[in-house]
Amino acid sequence: MSALEKLKDLFEASLTPTPTVIAIGLAVVLFFPVLLHLLYSAATPYTTLPSVLLVGPSGAGKTALLTLFERGPSASSSTPAKTHTSQVTSSVELAVSEDPSTPYTTDLDAAGATAKKFLLVDTPGHAKLRAEALSYLSSAEPTIKSPLASDHGAKSKLKALVFVVDAAALADGDALPQTAEYLYEVLLTLQKRFHGRKGSRAPASMPVLVAANKLDLFTALPASLVKSNLEAELGRIRAARSKGLLDSGVGQDDLNAGDDTEGWLGGDGSEKFSFAQMMEFDVEIDVIGGNVVGDGPGADKWWRWIGERV
Ligand code: GDP
């Protein structure tokens, strides 16, 4: 029997109203809508754009950075970012080239480049309003309600976190402990997702960029010092918290204690804190210097970092 004849037989059999054919037909008719629904609802979370969250203390330059990426360098220097806007969560839709080395200033349409779209979401840096930013980070698959009206409140998948710090302010005063305190909360929230996970599935990895901003100012610390100062301060906070001695100061001898404490950040037992310890919790941290206004390295490296992660 040739293949053609076999096919013909099969076709004829499928048209003969035997109980098997009727059963298969019924199953298809009944389950098709269910299947369609399942496919559709599984695909829905990905129909909105992915997002990148901007966090960091007030005055670090989050709003200025958002404005820079939205409007380009000329707009942001002539119309300085309004600090009051950082009292609320605001976001912009941006497009980054498939080739992450393309600068943010390039007009992608004109260059004919293929682009990936994403949302850059600014959060209020004020201490009292930080809970909102932290709440986004606490789930295993962090999402944020899309602020775009066209998305009808759909969930946007959070791909990365940019923690903006003022590298000039970190050199003196209270800025270092205050900045580190906020960063500690952010990293601890990301770490806790591991303990709160259900089943064996690991939470989505969350890359963190510490953007050492304001490098145009000569008082600003270089990125390497921003990194080591923050690590040292995070280590101090960790030691103090684990002993519950935040106010009374903690000596070197106490550092080894309290490994199982809820608030212990990073790998257990190590004396010094380093960002690398957060890899254990799939939190990869990079510290990169730049500036939004003035002369300096600019924001290209940050843009590239974001482009590689959305
Ligand atoms: P936010 O509270 O983190 O949103 O901070 P803003 O974006 O409101 O910025 C606070 C101040 O820092 C504003 O006056 C900005 O113009 C200024 N600023 C932001 N980025 C830079 C920078 O790279 N260099 C300098 N010199 N000033 C900056």
Side-chain angles (χ1 to χ4, degrees), residues 57-64 83 86 213-214 216-217 291-293:
S58 268
K62 298 181 295 298
T63 315
T83 302
S86 58
N213 190 25
K214 308 199 186 179
D216 55 303
L217 302 173
N291 57 298
V292 177
V293 297

Side-chain angles (χ1 to χ4, degrees), residues 127-296:
K128 286 185 186 144
L129 302 168
R130 285 175 191 173
E132 188 185 343
L134 292 174
S135 71
Y136 294 134
L137 305 174
S138 51
S139 79
E141 299 279 341
T143 54
I144 184 167
K145 208 172 107 197
S146 172
L148 298 181
S150 55
D151 284 342
H152 305 292
K155 296 274 173 73
S156 163
K157 201 171 181 183
L158 206 59
K159 290 287 199 151
L161 198 69
V162 178
F163 190 94
V164 186
V165 303
D166 181 339
L170 283 191
D172 55 18
D174 299 332
L176 178 63
Q178 280 168 10
T179 304
E181 191 74 39
Y182 189 13
L183 185 56
Y184 197 96
E185 286 301 329
V186 168
L187 296 180
L188 193 63
T189 307
L190 291 176
Q191 175 180 322
K192 279 184 178 165
R193 302 177 320 143
F194 260 78
H195 302 304
R197 70 185 168 200
K198 294 186 185 76
S200 58
R201 211 164 142 221
S205 66
M206 185 56 65
V208 177
L209 168 64
V210 176
N213 190 25
K214 308 199 186 179
L215 290 202
D216 55 303
L217 302 173
F218 79 98
T219 47
L221 300 177
S224 56
L225 269 184
V226 168
K227 179 171 185 272
S228 54
N229 284 5
L230 280 175
E231 284 178 333
E233 191 62 30
L234 288 167
R236 264 193 289 277
I237 296 173
R238 176 169 81 169
R241 283 197 181 195
S242 74
K243 296 291 282 178
L245 292 174
L246 201 59
D247 296 321
S248 48
V250 172
Q252 200 62 36
D253 298 344
D254 301 319
L255 281 170
N256 293 328
D259 291 354
D260 291 332
T261 320
E262 263 265 290
W264 185 265
L265 185 69
D268 289 342
S270 45
E271 234 178 60
K272 279 176 85 179
F273 174 80
S274 72
F275 285 142
Q277 291 170 16
M278 293 303 293
M279 288 295 281
E280 198 179 307
F281 306 100
D282 239 347
V283 178
E284 184 198 345
I285 305 168
D286 293 302
V287 184
I288 302 176
N291 57 298
V292 177
V293 297
D295 289 330

Side-chain angles (χ1 to χ4, degrees), residues 24-42:
I24 292 175
L26 264 178
V28 168
V29 169
L30 290 178
F31 287 112
F32 190 66
V34 177
L35 195 73
L36 214 60
H37 171 79
L38 286 178
L39 280 178
Y40 180 73
S41 54

